[in-house]
Amino acid sequence: MFSPMDNHLVYLLLDLIAALKVYFNAISYVNTIYFLVITDYMQHTFLCESFNRHISIAFSVERLGIKELMPAYLDPSLDNKELLTGVSFASGGSGYDPQTPKIVAVLSFADQLNQFKEYIEKLTGIVGEERTQYILANSLFLVVAGSDDLANTYFTIGIRRLQYDIPSYVNLMVSSASNFIQDIYKLGARRIGVFNAPPIGCLPSQRTLGGNGLRMCAEEYNKAAQLYNSKLQLELKHLNSTLAQSRIVNIDIYRPLLAIIENPLQYGLEVVDKGCCGTGNIEVAILCNKMLPTCLDDSKYLFWDSYHPTEKGYTILVDQVVGQYINDFF
């Protein structure tokens, strides 16, 4: 998701000194992998995974006062200035399960990790090894993923259901998340925020696919997310105690999003069970295009399409999540 559901990996690196002076944004659902690196803002680096393409990235970058848009790391026109002020390794639809990116032909976490290693080499060539290590050691990493694994790979497409029951699949996800965190730790990350899974069963598309015809929240999906979240929390606690000088923070997106869905009027919203695009029940990503009608007022909707929030939805989540966790990294 930032969509709430785009299994994405969100790395957000943010210089600690700068973090004390800027409003930290870390909204995310868990589904579109955007791996952003933003550097040289008060001597800082920001790695962020974006959820809803430009929306998520814009919230992160603009809230930090860095720049309006974040270029892709693979952009052939990328120059050193852009490397110093932020790039994106995002690959929407990826996840902890190595099968997840294969299904939609996007970059895996391993691919993004390799690109990040390459980025570190380039950064070293620009500012030197000592400064590069300082930037990494004094940065905040946010990891956001898991929604696509559960919603798409396990429940919707179902290829993993032939091999795993829900508890064993959750174990696979947690193990992969743990390995990834240890990988970025070895590369220099010390302050790492890890988002848990949102209530995927309440996403409009998942209501349609798993809501028993009535489009109620798919409780089996939500229970799987809850199980993953509980096991992830325990693993993060273990890593925190074993990785020297680390500050690994478990960031809960499940309860804030569910609270909005259960009490929309409290947040100035009216529609939470379908998206603004098309029917709002199943269209997502490229299926939402200029050929389809949209709602008259998207500010009344939590979701833009059947999987990703509207700008207002993102704003509400950002405001809730940001202030709650930033101090935990210091």
Side-chain angles (χ1 to χ4, degrees):
M1 289 176 12
F2 282 175
S3 93
M5 320 302 133
D6 279 321
N7 277 351
H8 317 196
L9 158 82
V10 165
Y11 294 101
L12 186 151
L13 294 107
L14 162 61
D15 183 279
L16 297 183
I17 297 175
L20 296 174
K21 300 181 179 179
V22 299
Y23 188 65
F24 165 61
N25 162 27
I27 169 190
S28 162
Y29 274 178
V30 177
N31 278 344
T32 301
I33 271 189
Y34 286 91
F35 177 52
L36 305 175
V37 183
I38 306 170
T39 53
D40 199 31
Y41 176 76
M42 294 289 292
Q43 317 270 323
H44 82 269
T45 297
F46 174 113
L47 281 168
C48 173
E49 167 217 298
S50 162
F51 294 97
N52 198 8
R53 299 175 178 77
H54 168 68
I55 292 295
S56 298
I57 298 176
F59 274 135
S60 301
V61 178
E62 291 176 354
R63 284 294 182 90
L64 289 171
I66 299 171
K67 55 185 177 182
E68 182 179 1
L69 296 175
M70 194 59 46
Y73 177 71
L74 295 179
D75 184 345
S77 65
L78 198 68
D79 57 22
N80 287 350
K81 180 179 179 181
E82 294 290 3
L83 287 175
L84 289 171
T85 55
V87 295
S88 171
F89 298 90
S91 189
S94 193
Y96 290 127
D97 182 348
Q99 287 297 320
T100 299
K102 292 180 181 180
I103 292 172
V104 288
V106 298
L107 297 178
S108 68
F109 278 10
D111 294 328
Q112 295 183 55
L113 190 65
N114 286 334
Q115 289 185 358
F116 181 50
K117 291 176 181 178
E118 184 179 87
Y119 163 80
I120 292 174
E121 292 180 358
K122 292 181 178 180
L123 187 61
T124 301
I126 299 171
V127 300
E129 183 174 354
E130 182 177 354
R131 184 59 189 171
T132 296
Q133 290 304 310
Y134 173 85
I135 289 174
L136 297 176
N138 290 277
S139 295
L140 171 65
F141 289 70
L142 294 183
V143 180
V144 182
S147 295
D148 282 336
D149 295 318
L150 290 170
N152 297 338
T153 307
Y154 193 82
F155 286 112
T156 300
I157 298 175
I159 60 173
R160 287 300 203 183
R161 299 190 80 161
L162 301 175
Q163 303 169 276
Y164 301 92
D165 58 13
I166 292 175
S168 59
Y169 187 67
V170 163
N171 288 341
L172 180 151
M173 291 174 61
V174 172
S175 176
S176 178
S178 179
N179 289 337
F180 185 80
I181 292 167
Q182 292 177 72
D183 285 340
I184 62 175
Y185 174 86
K186 293 174 183 176
L187 291 173
R190 291 297 179 267
R191 291 167 172 81
I192 304 169
V194 184
F195 283 72
N196 66 10
I200 58 172
C202 294
L203 300 181
S205 62
Q206 304 310 303
R207 287 174 181 260
T208 301
L209 297 171
N212 297 321
L214 300 176
R215 301 199 67 254
M216 304 296 288
C217 290
E219 289 306 317
E220 182 184 18
Y221 296 18
N222 282 350
K223 288 180 180 179
Q226 292 169 2
L227 180 62
Y228 164 72
N229 291 345
S230 64
K231 292 192 174 185
L232 177 67
Q233 184 175 20
L234 291 175
E235 179 62 19
L236 297 182
K237 183 177 181 180
H238 168 71
L239 292 176
N240 236 331
S241 64
T242 57
L243 299 180
Q245 298 180 328
S246 67
R247 295 294 295 272
I248 302 173
V249 178
N250 179 55
I251 299 176
D252 176 33
I253 193 68
Y254 187 100
R255 286 179 291 182
L257 180 60
L258 187 61
I260 298 172
I261 292 170
E262 293 179 339
N263 301 284
L265 295 180
Q266 181 179 336
Y267 299 91
L269 298 169
E270 297 179 10
V271 184
V272 297
D273 62 346
K274 64 179 182 179
C276 175
C277 168
T279 66
N281 295 336
I282 198 67
E283 299 90 343
V284 65
I286 60 173
L287 295 180
C288 277
N289 52 59
K290 63 182 180 181
M291 304 300 293
L292 294 180
T294 59
C295 62
L296 295 177
D297 185 359
D298 66 332
S299 70
K300 296 180 180 179
Y301 284 68
L302 174 59
F303 296 98
W304 169 251
D305 59 18
S306 68
Y307 204 79
H308 305 88
T310 57
E311 180 174 351
K312 184 171 182 178
Y314 279 123
T315 300
I316 294 170
L317 283 167
V318 169
D319 289 343
Q320 287 194 50
V321 173
V322 169
Q324 184 175 352
Y325 293 102
I326 187 63
N327 291 332
D328 295 340
F329 293 98
F330 302 98

